[in-house]
Amino acid sequence: PGEQLDQDPKKKTIVVLGNGWGATSFLKSLDNEEYNVVVISPRNYFLFSPLLPSVTVGTLEARSIIQPTRYITRHKKRKCAVYEAEATDVDPAKKTVTFRDASETNEDHKEVTISYDYLVYGVGAENQTFGIKGVKEYGCFLKELKDADRIRRKLLDCIETASFTGQSEEEINRLMHMVVVGGGPTGVEYAGELHDFLIDDLRKWYPEIADKLRITLIEALPNVLPAFSKQLIEYTESTFKANKIDVMTRTAVKDVREKSVLVQDANKNTHEIPYGLLVWATGNTARELSRKLMSKLPETQTNRRGILTDEHLRVLGAPDIYALGDAVAGQYAPTAQVASQQGTWLARTLGKMAQAEKLKEELNQLRASGAEQADVERVVKKLNRAAEVPSFTYSHQGSLAYIGSEKAIADLPFFNGSFSSGGVATMLFWRSAYISTLYSLRNRTLVLTDWAKVKLFGRDVSRE
Ligand code: FAD
Ligand code: NAD
């Protein structure tokens, strides 16, 4: 594979697994002058996840929030190999990665194994189901673009079917009941978007049944958004109340069936709740690939939630593997902010390591050639600076969440900790924060155009 990858055998090879928040910010910041770089991910684009809930109801179009990874790698100093493939195994002892192209067009799905000098492990996490039966079969997750597309199609299917002639009252009520499980930011933002769709569009396009639409958010803990401040939790819960989003706290889903969920309340009573669409947003768990890697390092990898690293992001037990983002079970929350800061830090660190290697070579040559002491000292100083790698530290820039009806909440490190408000100003703040963090001018233009289109024409209710 070396030849095929167009690698320079004199340079070290970095294999990057994934192209999410962590891996993409790494790729953007890396100076690859001194490295061969191979990127492997089952999708060939970066997804801007904070705006994913907006795709579920058509506020934004799916393609507006993705960016092909080749947009980034093609601007690099040296060529990078990008493979749309899934890593199936990592061998930390042999320092190899095995991967395969799982696409429909490639029928043989042959596995390829390549070596790495450094592995950047940014495969993210999988959806948590707690082993509850029926979740994968009947529920919709909200993590990938295909999930948002599926929700959009299923939502419209429920509405069209409820509008079909001769439906019983009971069936209409079931079909128009949208249940969201998990009151973390994903569930809350989705419920908010759904509410906007009801108010702005459903009443216009489906006046006969629009008011039958009910949204229920089920959360096992005593309140939604456990990671936000008390003030913001109260603000969110009262906004939802005003928007007629039914919030069932201290209620855990125990079983998922095709048309209903079984829940248990705080008094241990069990109820059956019929639904038309079920969105499952109960957080993360480690990917199969991560579990496999962890099982190869049993002495150091002892946390079932994910990979353990040291403060330099080196995987415990395999120091040539750097893990970042949601794949890691560490002190940080699984957020885009953490993953992207880790990616940038790692790019800088590997850049410094390459610089240190070069300086070591220069030093050896100077010493071998009997150079002046002053010249040697000058290089030694530079080498010491390059070899100094501070550990990763996270700087929290605040959390933002959109909760519907032009209201957003913000937990910011300034304003004494938290800040919440509603109305046009907050919307503009929320929107401008996301527009400025979008990776490219192309994405910014597409997102702004989508917002303008929705303002002018409403959301598109065609079911593709
Ligand atoms: P991901 O971004 O999930 O990327 C993982 C990558 O690994 C993907 O490219 C995937 O294709 C690839 N991959 C998977 N399996 C393999 C394999 N076997 N081999 C190779 N590659 C593989 N965080 C915030 O800070 N702010 C927000 O507003 C916010 N909003 C969110 C909204 C939603 C709806 C969701 C779901 C999450 C949100 N998050 C937000 C969380 C944020 O998206 C994650 O924390 C972030 O994506 C983690 O980055 P990552 O690089 O670790 O993983
Ligand atoms: P989460 O882990 O934050 O929340 C999941 C919720 O589901 C928890 O409150 C949990 O108590 C509840 N739950 C679990 N099992 C349940 C059950 N059986 N029945 C009912 N409730 C149950 O998950 P998330 O919202 O997907 O967020 C994942 C990560 O992504 C978090 O770190 C979050 O901060 C980040 N994120 C951030 C934003 C934002 O900042 N706007 C948006 C989305 C996600």
Side-chain angles (χ1 to χ4, degrees):
E3 265 170 53
Q4 189 194 343
L5 300 176
D6 202 11
Q7 291 181 341
D8 178 344
K10 291 196 291 297
K11 296 193 192 286
K12 288 194 168 164
T13 297
I14 301 177
V15 175
V16 181
L17 297 189
N19 52 2
W21 277 97
T24 300
S25 79
F26 171 78
L27 284 171
K28 281 200 90 171
S29 307
L30 181 75
D31 178 348
N32 70 335
E33 180 87 56
E34 296 306 322
Y35 291 112
N36 300 307
V37 175
V38 183
V39 186
I40 298 166
S41 181
R43 62 181 201 210
N44 75 350
Y45 57 83
F46 167 75
L47 165 70
F48 190 84
S49 52
L51 289 173
L52 192 61
S54 298
V55 176
T56 59
V57 292
T59 314
L60 292 176
E61 290 303 328
R63 284 179 176 269
S64 304
I65 61 163
I66 62 175
Q67 177 83 323
T69 294
R70 284 182 167 81
Y71 254 80
I72 294 156
T73 54
R74 73 174 182 182
H75 294 302
K76 288 285 155 194
K77 281 187 185 156
R78 292 182 53 245
K79 196 173 161 199
C80 302
V82 180
Y83 293 121
E84 190 193 61
E86 176 195 13
T88 51
D89 192 39
V90 173
D91 187 333
K94 290 191 188 138
K95 293 179 59 172
T96 58
V97 177
T98 302
F99 57 100
R100 68 188 171 111
D101 173 4
S103 78
E104 289 152 23
T105 324
N106 187 354
E107 278 170 3
D108 78 5
H109 294 172
K110 201 176 73 192
E111 291 199 321
V112 179
T113 299
I114 57 168
S115 301
Y116 62 79
D117 292 292
Y118 300 118
L119 180 69
V120 176
Y121 193 84
V123 300
E126 220 167 80
N127 292 294
Q128 175 66 277
T129 64
F130 300 100
I132 296 171
K133 274 204 307 242
V135 176
K136 286 190 178 149
E137 209 173 343
Y138 305 119
C140 295
F141 296 118
L142 182 50
K143 194 177 220 8
E144 297 289 341
L145 205 58
K146 65 172 174 19
D147 299 329
D149 265 341
R150 181 162 173 240
I151 293 174
R152 190 174 177 187
R153 266 183 281 117
K154 196 138 195 226
L155 171 69
L156 289 164
D157 191 9
C158 285
I159 297 165
E160 289 293 354
T161 310
S163 311
F164 192 69
T165 177
Q167 291 284 22
S168 70
E169 192 67 20
E170 192 186 0
E171 186 63 353
I172 293 175
N173 286 336
R174 178 186 75 79
L175 286 163
M176 295 297 282
H177 189 199
M178 312 304 164
V179 171
V180 185
V181 184
T186 303
V188 164
E189 290 196 321
Y190 173 66
E193 290 281 349
L194 194 54
H195 167 265
D196 286 1
F197 176 59
L198 164 71
I199 300 298
D200 301 342
D201 304 277
L202 210 60
R203 288 194 176 145
K204 244 185 275 164
W205 298 106
Y206 301 86
E208 61 292 349
I209 54 154
D211 287 328
K212 298 271 181 197
L213 188 114
R214 283 185 305 134
I215 307 167
T216 301
L217 180 68
I218 303 176
E219 167 56 53
L221 296 176
N223 53 264
V224 298
L225 297 176
F228 280 70
S229 71
K230 192 164 172 270
Q231 183 206 345
L232 298 182
I233 291 169
E234 281 168 7
Y235 184 78
T236 305
E237 290 188 345
S238 66
T239 303
F240 275 12
K241 201 169 175 189
N243 289 345
K244 300 205 166 51
I245 297 172
D246 195 6
V247 179
M248 294 173 76
T249 51
R250 296 177 206 269
T251 307
V253 174
K254 294 288 179 193
D255 191 21
V256 175
R257 296 163 184 181
E258 194 181 354
K259 297 177 179 181
S260 66
V261 285
L262 218 62
V263 302
Q264 192 178 61
D265 64 20
N267 303 321
K268 305 259 179 251
N269 293 324
T270 306
H271 314 268
E272 189 171 356
I273 304 177
Y275 69 82
L277 169 71
L278 179 75
V279 172
W280 191 268
T282 63
N284 294 339
T285 187
R287 276 195 199 283
E288 165 83 47
L289 184 71
S290 302
R291 277 185 269 135
K292 209 163 152 188
L293 173 59
M294 279 143 62
S295 72
K296 291 180 186 174
L297 305 163
E299 275 166 28
T300 44
Q301 294 298 326
T302 49
N303 191 327
R304 281 163 50 93
R305 282 194 307 113
I307 307 274
L308 292 174
T309 67
D310 64 14
E311 68 279 13
H312 285 82
L313 311 185
R314 290 175 297 215
V315 169
L316 298 185
D320 294 319
I321 307 180
Y322 292 87
L324 64 177
D326 287 7
V328 178
Q331 53 179 316
Y332 306 115
T335 65
Q337 250 190 91
V338 170
S340 64
Q341 287 184 29
Q342 288 175 329
T344 312
W345 177 89
L346 187 55
R348 223 179 292 130
T349 299
L350 285 175
K352 279 183 100 176
M353 281 161 61
Q355 205 190 343
E357 289 285 316
K358 271 176 96 176
L359 288 165
K360 265 186 216 157
E361 259 174 48
E362 196 184 331
L363 197 60
N364 288 341
Q365 278 167 11
L366 282 176
R367 281 181 174 147
S369 65
E372 297 266 327
Q373 188 57 19
D375 288 337
V376 172
E377 272 172 21
R378 182 181 46 82
V379 178
V380 168
K381 257 193 197 161
K382 275 198 201 166
L383 177 59
N384 287 344
R385 261 202 312 270
E388 232 175 69
V389 179
S391 55
F392 170 76
T393 47
Y394 170 62
S395 150
H396 187 58
Q397 304 297 306
S399 312
L400 265 178
Y402 180 65
I403 59 171
S405 57
E406 302 203 327
K407 289 189 171 75
I409 53 168
D411 236 329
L412 300 174
F414 30 100
F415 292 126
N416 276 339
S418 62
F419 168 74
S420 61
S421 81
V424 179
T426 316
M427 262 306 265
L428 287 178
F429 175 63
W430 178 80
R431 287 190 163 180
S432 57
Y434 283 155
I435 281 289
S436 62
T437 35
L438 273 165
Y439 269 146
S440 70
L441 178 64
R442 174 186 159 273
N443 286 135
R444 285 189 198 113
T445 312
L446 293 175
V447 166
L448 284 169
T449 313
D450 285 350
W451 282 336
K453 276 196 301 197
V454 165
K455 196 90 199 148
L456 278 173
F457 310 116
R459 291 172 184 83
D460 184 352
V461 293
S462 338
R463 191 163 81 91
E464 291 168 81

